[in-house]
């Protein structure tokens, strides 16, 4: 499977996951809040997506999670021998087919 197809599948799964999470927020809101609190009305799907986005902004932010992973990978690379580091880097280059093209060009 090439990289573009893999990226499209991952993107489609992310969109489907966000849509499903919006439905879960809507279902839980409509099940719990109107019965627990007087005056709270049921919400529709678009409002549930807004609640999901608002909670992401208030509680999660948009800082991403790559920083922690980057530090962890850097720590692992520092503890590797030069041979292990080269093998790891070559494996990462070949993840999306880029290393295979470079290897084929180097052999010629």
């Amino acid at each position: 499977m090439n990289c573009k197809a893999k990226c499209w599948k991952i993107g489609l799964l992310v969109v489907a996951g966000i849509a499903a999470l919006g439905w879960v927020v809507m279902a839980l809101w409509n099940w719990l809040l109107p019965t627990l609190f007087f005056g709270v009305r049921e919400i529709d799907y678009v409002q549930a997506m807004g609640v999901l986005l608002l909670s992401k902004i208030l509680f999660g932010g948009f800082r991403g999670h790559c920083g922690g992973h980057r530090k962890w990978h850097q720590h692992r690379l520092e503890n590797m021998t030069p041979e292990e580091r080269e093998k790891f880097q070559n494996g990462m280059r070949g993840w999306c087919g880029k290393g295979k093209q470079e290897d084929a060009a180097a052999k010629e």
Side-chain angles (χ1 to χ4, degrees):
M1 181 182 329
N2 63 13
C3 186
K4 287 184 181 180
K6 186 185 284 188
C7 291
W8 276 104
K9 286 183 180 182
I10 290 172
L12 185 63
L13 284 174
V14 167
V15 169
I18 291 171
L21 191 57
W23 182 84
V24 168
V25 168
M26 181 186 72
L28 286 172
W29 180 287
N30 292 338
W31 176 54
L32 287 172
L33 290 178
T35 58
L36 291 176
F37 301 108
F38 179 73
V40 175
R41 353 177 248 128
E42 291 187 353
I43 61 173
D44 62 3
Y45 182 76
V46 175
Q47 290 171 327
M49 293 299 287
V51 169
L52 188 62
L53 180 63
L54 181 63
S55 65
K56 176 67 178 161
I57 292 169
L58 293 176
F59 302 117
F62 288 103
R63 62 185 175 274
H65 300 288
C66 289
H69 293 292
R70 188 177 302 126
K71 290 177 186 175
W72 181 75
H73 285 293
Q74 183 178 6
H75 177 70
R76 282 191 60 200
L77 280 173
E78 289 173 354
N79 292 334
M80 289 182 182
T81 65
E83 294 84 18
E84 291 173 332
R85 190 176 303 125
E86 183 67 28
K87 182 178 176 184
F88 174 75
Q89 289 172 341
N90 286 337
M92 291 303 289
R93 278 189 212 110
W95 182 75
C96 210
K98 295 176 186 173
K100 295 175 187 173
Q101 294 170 355
E102 293 171 0
D103 290 341
K107 288 180 181 178
E108 294 175 357

